[in-house]
């Protein structure tokens, strides 16, 4: 049999297909949904976003974290009318006026997830229309290579060098005490006194309420207060600025785009309001509540940090922000810490918006930056911004508050790391966490140890310097379409 013709055809097809490249996936950013007509709208915004993005075809779509990185922007909405609902998506080309709308509708909660799958297929279809197959131009023949005349050298032996480096140890933090699950998702934690019987005062906050617990052999609820909607709690911290031995609770609150923070005093039974509508974020830094400094920062416009970070002073009658800190440009009240050591007291470490640790000298010069990411928080500020919609296509500007970094007396820096099976853009669905420990050598932040990876989102934590225990607030079950979620407290001694 004559095989020359089939072989010739095969060679031609090989050349043709080698010159054609499959279209690359289009970079796409999916914002959180706008939700109306349901009571749990805040939880649904991120849940719907996560379900939709997980159903997009990865062969055609490359998800990106930030709108400015995307070629296509998708803004979804969910509206419910009685038993009926409508899922709508606006697809816009970045940098152009091109706009496409697709939708799906259904009846009953059981059809929401299938409808999201159908919506994802329609979005993928619109993406396919924008994809093209690229045929590269035929390559030019290579220029002839002219070799230089050989150079005769005397070979010098090269001495090989190497460094022996000890691996950071893994600390066991799983043999401590863990509470029974607490109904609800809580985002912030603060610790008060340890009473004579050994019970520790623990404060936890969700978006609209604060609970006071006593932790001993079991967790006891002491009291609870509510913050009226639409005000929303961001963070809580304890301190004793008036030096009466009783902890005050400093509560950062956002109310309709304006800071309206509060200060409470704990009388052993409940919280008593001392001040309200204060124009500051609060962040406590220090080894215990009696010596802790409360830092403040203001906000302006579209949830932007404004002005210097300052120390809060309380005369017993009036709160005043004093002694401004000159942080690096990327620093704000929620993402900075000082470094330990006499020679490094003016050095700051900042957890930047992309999750990298950066060390700055006193003049604001960056002297070191990590190659790995850390932090990761689901607590956010959000506001409508016309300038933001012009640049990204998303009306709402999201600003995530970073995890706290804690400097211990020996100069050790504690930094948490949350990660998730899916965490991108405004969707921060973290479900695993690790706690890292660093020391500053004067040149680099060197890891000393890290905890085991645990299957929960670390919402907040505190370190008790007296007992060397870490108190953690963990979210063990996320809220969703039909569940309010669960949290837990754990106390572990690092050893």
């Amino acid at each position: 049999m004559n095989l020359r013709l089939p072989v010739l055809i095969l060679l031609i097809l090989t050349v043709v297909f080698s010159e054609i490249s499959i279209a690359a996936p289009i970079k796409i950013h999916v914002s959180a949904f706008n939700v109306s007509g349901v009571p749990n709208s805040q939880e649904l915004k991120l849940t719907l976003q996560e379900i939709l993005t997980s159903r997009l075809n990865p062969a055609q779509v490359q998800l990106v974290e930030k709108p400015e990185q995307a070629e296509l922007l998708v803004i979804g909405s969910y509206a419910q009318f009685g038993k009926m609902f409508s899922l709508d998506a606006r697809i816009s080309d970045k940098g152009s006026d091109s706009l496409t709308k697709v939708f799906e509708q259904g009846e009953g909660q059981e059809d929401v997830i299938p409808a999201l799958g159908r919506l994802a297929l329609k979005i993928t279809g619109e993406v396919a229309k924008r994809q093209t197959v690229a045929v590269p131009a035929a390559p030019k023949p290579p220029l002839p290579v002219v070799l230089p005349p050989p150079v005769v050298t005397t070979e010098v032996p090269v001495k090989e060098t190497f460094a022996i480096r000890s691996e950071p140890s893994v600390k066991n933090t799983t043999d401590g005490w863990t509470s029974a699950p607490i109904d609800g998702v809580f985002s912030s934690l603060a610790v008060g006194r340890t009473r004579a019987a050994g019970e520790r005062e623990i404060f936890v906050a969700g978006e609209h309420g604060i609970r006071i617990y006593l932790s001993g052999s079991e967790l006891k609820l002491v009291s609870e207060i509510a913050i009226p909607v639409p005000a929303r709690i961001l963070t809580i911290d304890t301190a004793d600025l008036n030096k009466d031995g009783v902890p005050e609770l400093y509560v950062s609150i956002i109310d309709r785009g304006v800071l309206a923070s509060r200060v409470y005093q704990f009388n052993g039974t409940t919280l008593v309001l001392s001040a309200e509508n204060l124009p500051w974020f609060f962040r406590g830094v220090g080894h215990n509540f009696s010596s802790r400094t409360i830092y403040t920062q203001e906000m302006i416009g579209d949830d932007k940090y404004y002005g210097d970070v300052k120390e809060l002073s309380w005369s017993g009658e009036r709160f005043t922000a004093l002694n401004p800190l000159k942080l690096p440009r990327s620093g704000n009240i929620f993402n900075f810490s000082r470094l330990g050591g006499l020679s490094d007291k003016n050095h700051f470490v900042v957890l930047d918006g992309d999750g990298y640790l950066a060390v700055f000298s006193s003049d604001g010069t960056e002297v070191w930056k990590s190659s790995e990411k850390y932090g990761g928080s689901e607590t956010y500020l959000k506001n409508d911004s016309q300038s933001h919609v012009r640049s990204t296509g998303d009306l709402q500007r999201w600003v995530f508050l970073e995890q706290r970094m804690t400097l211990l007396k020996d100069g050790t820096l504690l930094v948490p790391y949350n990660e998730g099976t899916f965490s991108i853009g405004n969707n921060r669905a973290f479900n695993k966490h690790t706690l890292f420990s660093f020391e500053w050598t004067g040149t680099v932040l060197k890891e000393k140890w890290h905890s085991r990876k645990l299957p929960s989102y670390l919402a907040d934590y505190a370190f008790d310097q007296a007992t060397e225990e870490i108190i953690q607030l963990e979210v063990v079950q996320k809220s969703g379409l039909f569940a309010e979620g669960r949290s837990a407290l754990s106390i572990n001694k690092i050893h």
Side-chain angles (χ1 to χ4, degrees):
M1 179 179 179
N2 190 347
L3 297 178
R4 284 182 292 179
L5 182 58
V7 170
L8 179 61
I9 294 173
L10 178 62
L11 288 173
I12 293 172
L13 290 175
T14 301
V15 172
V16 169
F17 283 106
S18 67
E19 293 298 316
I20 299 178
S21 62
I22 303 301
I26 288 183
K27 295 180 179 179
I28 187 171
H29 172 79
V30 180
S31 66
F33 273 61
N34 297 311
V35 177
S36 60
V38 293
N40 57 336
S41 59
Q42 292 297 325
E43 292 82 359
L44 274 178
K45 291 179 179 182
L46 295 180
T47 302
L48 293 172
Q49 179 195 34
E50 180 176 3
I51 294 173
L52 176 63
T53 50
S54 67
R55 282 152 176 77
L56 295 174
N57 187 350
Q60 295 176 276
V61 167
Q62 178 186 345
L63 296 171
V64 295
E65 292 189 13
K66 300 178 180 179
E68 54 268 24
Q69 299 171 335
E71 299 171 67
L72 291 180
L73 303 173
V74 176
I75 301 176
S77 64
Y78 173 90
Q80 185 169 314
F81 310 94
K83 293 184 178 180
M84 298 295 297
F85 66 84
S86 178
L87 287 162
D88 299 80
R90 292 188 297 134
I91 309 168
S92 59
D93 288 276
K94 187 74 177 295
S96 75
D97 296 328
S98 176
L99 180 67
T100 304
K101 296 181 180 180
V102 293
F103 74 92
E104 276 293 329
Q105 61 187 38
E107 181 178 356
Q109 295 178 338
E110 65 278 0
D111 193 35
V112 172
I113 293 178
L116 282 165
R118 298 193 298 269
L119 186 68
L121 287 175
K122 289 185 177 181
I123 293 173
T124 303
E126 292 298 324
V127 170
K129 295 177 183 179
R130 292 163 169 79
Q131 287 179 309
T132 58
V133 177
V135 181
K140 296 180 180 180
L143 295 174
V145 178
V146 180
L147 296 176
V151 178
V152 178
T153 61
T154 302
E155 185 176 352
V156 179
V158 179
K159 182 180 179 181
E160 294 186 1
T161 62
F162 62 94
I164 298 176
R165 175 176 74 176
S166 62
E167 292 296 325
S169 61
V170 178
K171 294 288 187 180
N172 183 9
T173 61
T174 60
D175 57 351
W177 173 89
T178 302
S179 72
I182 304 169
D183 288 338
V185 171
F186 294 88
S187 57
S188 191
L189 166 79
V191 176
R193 298 166 294 187
T194 299
R195 298 188 176 182
E199 295 178 314
R200 183 187 274 117
E201 298 170 347
I202 297 179
F203 306 84
V204 298
E207 287 193 341
H208 304 295
I210 302 170
R211 293 183 186 178
I212 303 99
Y213 289 97
L214 290 179
S215 69
S217 58
E218 59 183 17
L219 197 64
K220 301 176 185 177
L221 179 63
V222 177
S223 63
E224 182 176 7
I225 65 169
I227 303 295
V229 177
R232 188 163 64 89
I233 298 171
L234 299 174
T235 64
I236 59 174
D237 278 288
T238 51
D240 183 18
L241 297 191
N242 65 352
K243 304 303 179 185
D244 65 354
V246 179
E248 305 106 38
L249 189 69
Y250 293 85
V251 187
S252 300
I253 297 175
I254 192 82
D255 187 357
R256 285 161 286 194
V258 177
L259 279 170
S261 297
R262 297 184 178 186
V263 179
Y264 293 90
Q265 287 185 285
F266 181 51
N267 63 10
T269 304
T270 189
L271 293 172
V272 179
L273 184 64
S274 297
E276 59 183 334
N277 295 322
L278 298 175
W280 300 302
F281 297 109
F282 296 128
R283 176 65 102 191
V285 176
H287 302 122
N288 53 62
F289 82 90
S290 60
S291 62
R292 187 167 296 131
T293 298
I294 295 292
Y295 287 104
T296 69
Q297 192 171 23
E298 297 180 47
M299 183 183 76
I300 189 172
D302 302 330
D303 300 334
K304 296 177 182 177
Y305 301 107
Y306 173 74
D308 292 326
V309 170
K310 299 179 182 179
E311 296 179 17
L312 188 66
S313 173
W314 186 25
S315 64
E317 297 180 357
R318 182 180 179 184
F319 289 95
T320 310
L322 306 168
N323 305 325
L325 288 179
K326 296 297 182 184
L327 296 182
R329 289 180 60 87
S330 57
N332 63 63
I333 188 171
F334 294 117
N335 73 349
F336 88 96
S337 179
R338 291 182 182 274
L339 289 178
L342 294 176
S343 62
D344 304 314
K345 61 183 179 180
N346 292 324
H347 278 59
F348 292 100
V349 59
V350 170
L351 192 54
D352 69 20
D354 294 320
Y356 295 99
L357 290 168
V359 176
F360 296 85
S361 61
S362 57
D363 62 359
T365 302
E366 183 181 301
V367 296
W368 180 86
K369 190 170 185 177
S370 69
S371 58
E372 302 291 337
K373 290 187 178 184
Y374 301 93
S377 170
E378 294 182 6
T379 303
Y380 60 88
L381 292 164
K382 186 174 62 174
N383 204 354
D384 291 347
S385 169
Q386 293 301 322
S387 60
H388 193 63
V389 73
R390 286 193 295 270
S391 60
T392 67
D394 192 345
L395 176 61
Q396 293 173 321
R397 181 177 184 269
W398 295 63
V399 178
F400 285 88
L401 280 56
E402 257 308 343
Q403 287 282 345
R404 70 173 78 233
M405 297 182 287
T406 303
L407 184 67
L408 309 186
K409 283 186 176 180
D410 64 357
T412 299
L413 183 70
L414 298 181
V415 183
Y417 174 48
N418 279 305
E419 55 185 310
T421 52
F422 184 86
S423 178
I424 191 167
N426 295 332
N427 189 332
R428 302 292 179 95
F430 298 115
N431 54 23
K432 293 176 286 186
H433 76 269
T434 310
L435 189 64
F436 287 84
S437 162
F438 297 94
E439 63 177 344
W440 175 244
T441 67
T443 306
V444 299
L445 269 180
K446 181 181 178 182
E447 183 186 333
K448 296 173 64 176
W449 54 260
H450 61 267
S451 68
R452 300 182 189 279
K453 186 178 294 185
L454 297 178
S456 60
Y457 163 58
L458 180 60
D460 201 1
Y461 75 100
F463 184 79
D464 188 328
Q465 188 72 55
T467 62
E468 296 188 341
E469 291 177 316
I470 293 177
I471 302 97
Q472 296 189 144
L473 173 62
E474 303 173 46
V475 176
V476 295
Q477 181 183 9
K478 295 297 183 68
S479 59
L481 288 172
F482 317 113
E484 63 175 342
R486 286 184 167 188
S487 304
L489 289 167
S490 64
I491 300 174
N492 300 282
K493 191 177 182 69
I494 299 295
H495 58 81

